[in-house]
Amino acid sequence: MGLRPNLLTRRTAGVATTTLALLLSTAAVGVVPAASAFSAAPSKATCAEPADTHSDARVKKGGVAKHDPNSLSAAQVRDREADLAAALRDRANFRTGPGAVTPLASVTIPVVVHVIQRDSTRAGGNIPDSLITSQINVLNQAYSGATGGAATAFSFQLQKINRVTNPSWYPIVQGSTAERNMKSTLREGGKNTLNMYLGELSDSLLGWATFPQRKLTSMDGVVVLNESLPGGSATNYNQGDTGTHEIGHWLNLYHTFQGGCGGSGDSVSDTPAEASPAYQCPTGRDTCSTAGLDPITNFMDYTYDSCMYQFTPGQASRMITAWNAYRAA
């Protein structure tokens, strides 16, 4: 649609040329006895946040999510912003005197990918390593500003692919006991390690994520539809930007449409206010009377992958601020 010329070409090349030269070790497939299996509904996603896990989800257009807490209430946003301020004050206490902690200006995030499978077939979740390494390539393009947006402080390095065959975890059901058991069993690393769970998902979701918290829990991480990775079969959502979007939440970004046309919106000053999620690629959409068209090309909206290509400088600043408050060592 002319919104980001050469991006599709650049990403297609990345799918073809990305290799396993990244730091990568592939774990043996773990087989767990089956319990109950769930069925997922097809369709496009929005973001939601179960109150107990502080998560956010991306939903397909027309999809009906089981939860819709990702569009947070005003009270939830106030609580989160107050917590961020408190976390920053706490960190400031460690920046003076012996053992002072210096805020980071750039960060390489280690990534552990858990491929959740029903069986050994592609239809059962057994996606190839090439899709995963292509996803890392897309993340590095998006967060470096190579796709046309602001450069952020973040890059991503694949550390491990862990394949797990367990029909009781497939599809992954948001907010379920099975999801909690899966993450409690599999999560690796500290606050600075991104754990990404790939599989078929429930409730028309493309993905969901936890926001950062001062105390690390086993729920921390992102869940992404396996076929939304670059080269996957999720039409209009298969260039890897569900991963980009969900990691944005993991790094403390709200949706661009958070709060609608009033209040503090997404708590970022350079993203124009937006009354509701944008789907597909509605060029020229303008749902609020304040200055600026709707940010339909922003990674934190709900448009097609082919339409979104940028973070703003304000979002980049918010992410590194939150990293230093919550995830830095």
Side-chain angles (χ1 to χ4, degrees), residues 43-62:
S43 142
K44 180 96 188 166
T46 36
C47 289
E49 172 186 359
D52 62 335
T53 60
H54 302 288
S55 69
D56 221 322
R58 188 183 180 203
V59 186
K60 300 176 183 177
K61 183 173 185 179

Side-chain angles (χ1 to χ4, degrees), residues 238-307:
N238 59 357
Q239 294 183 31
D241 285 332
T242 291
T244 306
H245 176 105
E246 297 308 334
I247 291 166
H249 290 310
W250 188 76
L251 293 170
N252 211 41
L253 294 185
Y254 301 130
H255 294 129
T256 52
F257 49 86
Q258 174 64 48
C261 297
S264 61
D266 64 352
S267 300
V268 177
S269 62
D270 59 2
T271 54
E274 185 177 25
S276 60
Y279 295 99
Q280 300 175 345
C281 197
T283 305
R285 185 178 190 252
D286 190 4
T287 56
C288 294
S289 60
T290 50
L293 298 177
D294 290 357
I296 66 165
T297 60
N298 195 282
F299 287 121
M300 301 312 294
D301 209 335
Y302 276 0
T303 48
Y304 287 162
D305 284 14
S306 60
C307 190

Side-chain angles (χ1 to χ4, degrees), residues 52-308:
D52 62 335
T53 60
H54 302 288
S55 69
D56 221 322
R58 188 183 180 203
V59 186
K60 300 176 183 177
K61 183 173 185 179
V64 179
K66 183 177 180 181
H67 303 284
D68 192 10
N70 291 355
S71 296
L72 305 185
S73 68
Q76 286 176 309
V77 170
R78 285 195 300 271
D79 288 347
R80 286 208 52 78
E81 294 307 294
D83 188 73
L84 175 59
L88 288 169
R89 288 193 298 270
D90 289 347
R91 282 286 179 168
N93 294 332
F94 294 99
R95 289 177 187 150
T96 58
V101 177
T102 302
L104 299 175
S106 63
V107 177
T108 298
I109 299 175
V111 183
V112 176
V113 175
H114 306 280
V115 181
I116 309 304
Q117 305 172 183
R118 181 184 61 219
D119 52 45
S120 62
T121 66
R122 175 73 177 261
N126 186 22
I127 61 171
D129 286 357
S130 59
L131 267 67
I132 297 168
T133 53
S134 292
Q135 177 69 72
I136 299 297
N137 184 55
V138 164
L139 294 176
N140 281 318
Q141 289 181 12
Y143 281 82
S144 70
T147 58
T152 79
F154 301 98
S155 61
F156 300 84
Q157 188 172 68
L158 183 61
Q159 296 291 314
K160 180 179 182 181
I161 297 175
N162 176 36
R163 294 182 177 273
V164 179
T165 301
N166 186 344
S168 69
W169 293 346
Y170 193 92
I172 305 171
V173 178
Q174 185 192 32
S176 67
T177 299
E179 181 198 3
R180 186 172 296 278
N181 290 341
M182 174 189 75
K183 289 182 174 180
S184 297
T185 301
L186 300 179
R187 195 192 183 285
E188 298 185 20
K191 287 185 177 183
N192 69 324
T193 300
L194 172 61
N195 280 250
M196 180 179 289
Y197 302 86
L198 306 178
E200 179 65 24
L201 307 186
S202 69
D203 302 307
S204 303
L205 294 171
L206 292 167
W208 61 87
T210 55
F211 288 112
Q213 301 178 70
R214 280 186 275 181
K215 182 178 180 180
L216 179 66
T217 76
S218 62
M219 296 300 287
D220 182 75
V222 304
V223 178
V224 173
L225 177 67
N226 48 18
E227 294 293 350
S228 75
L229 272 60
S233 63
T235 304
N236 296 317
Y237 305 99
N238 59 357
Q239 294 183 31
D241 285 332
T242 291
T244 306
H245 176 105
E246 297 308 334
I247 291 166
H249 290 310
W250 188 76
L251 293 170
N252 211 41
L253 294 185
Y254 301 130
H255 294 129
T256 52
F257 49 86
Q258 174 64 48
C261 297
S264 61
D266 64 352
S267 300
V268 177
S269 62
D270 59 2
T271 54
E274 185 177 25
S276 60
Y279 295 99
Q280 300 175 345
C281 197
T283 305
R285 185 178 190 252
D286 190 4
T287 56
C288 294
S289 60
T290 50
L293 298 177
D294 290 357
I296 66 165
T297 60
N298 195 282
F299 287 121
M300 301 312 294
D301 209 335
Y302 276 0
T303 48
Y304 287 162
D305 284 14
S306 60
C307 190
M308 54 174 58

